Amino acid sequence: MVRRPRRLRRVSTIRRMVKETYVKVDDLIYPMFVKHGRGEREPIPSMVGHYRLSVDELVGEAGEVLSLGIPAVILFGLPKKKDDVGSEAYARDGIVQQAVAALKDRVPELVVMTDVCLCQYTDHGHCGILRDGVVDNDTTLEILSRIALSHAEAGAEFVAPSDMMDGRVKAIRDTLERDGFKDTGILAYAVKYASSFYGPFREAADSTPQFGDRAGYQMDPANAREAIKEASLDVEEGADIIMIKPALPYLDIIHQVRSHINLPVAAYNVSGEYAMVKAAAQEGWIEGDRVMMEMLLCIKRAGADLILTYFAKEAAKSLIEHENSYTEN
Ligand code: PBG
């Protein structure tokens, strides 16, 4: 018997019938950068189409995000000033706390997630509190818990620790429960690699470490077994959603974590992945829109349920145009 798999690829109607994976607008989470001031809309050069927005501008853009059907945003804050303990990160009137409150007031249906980390807020640019020049894990846990609590108090539905300290999901979960925030979820950056793909983000957020690197707390890109260990620990500690980051060069990790873990799995299609596509598309070397949709589709096929992506708005528009099912190539 001759085997002819091409029978199922012959025409687009049949292709539609046997399609295994879809990207939906519901899968997307849109990262946004918020700064102090009014009427501020400062373009981020390495992330075309993204801005550092003041709260009023953020609210306007969040309305657009919701109207496209995107269910959630994740916020990154730019403080007024930095210090050695990142005190604006947990200040009641810090920039993220103000932004969350404004979004919950003005665009209440939009799910608000917040990045919980210190690197944008510390003068040394590391993700924790330093002791003798190294990030001290357990001191950092106390500060991270304070940050998470302040975001929950402002109204965030999910807090997302991205620091890679040991035990931080448990510390944050305990603090939230103790203070009556039992419904605030934790999106854990469980499997976060020490990656060079974060370059544009660090420019956007002004969070480059002033000395050394993050290899002492973020994971070695060479390691896959360790990803299962990290994800399992965060599940035990009480995470609601497990995230892998970056996405594109780590599809094998997404796949493995998906098959070991019963929680929703999110993947972060990071700034460097976005910038590469944008730059090549600008040069006319690739078709940006198609490459974007193929990337997102492949991240889903690998096993991600949710994708944090700077493409969320563009992808949503493209999906609406293609009636929520991007098929043809
Ligand atoms: C904060 C944080 C980073 C990113 C998300 N949260 C930077 C880093 O760890 O250096 C990167 C996101 C991106 O590149 O899009 N720790």
Side-chain angles (χ1 to χ4, degrees), residues 148-149 152 159 172-182 184:
L149 182 61
V159 292
I172 290 172
R173 187 70 266 159
D174 288 349
T175 302
L176 293 173
E177 296 289 326
R178 192 196 60 213
D179 283 63
F181 291 95
K182 62 177 175 27
T184 309

Side-chain angles (χ1 to χ4, degrees), residues 73-92:
V73 294
I74 182 163
L75 300 182
F76 297 93
L78 294 133
K80 242 191 210 113
K81 59 179 196 315
K82 302 172 188 256
D83 57 32
D84 61 343
V85 292
S87 46
E88 193 181 317
Y90 51 84
R92 269 242 157 92

Side-chain angles (χ1 to χ4, degrees), residues 35-37 78-82 88 93 95 98 120-121:
K35 62 181 279 189
H36 290 274
L78 294 133
K80 242 191 210 113
K81 59 179 196 315
K82 302 172 188 256
E88 193 181 317
D93 60 349
I95 186 61
Q98 287 182 35
Q120 289 113 274
Y121 301 88

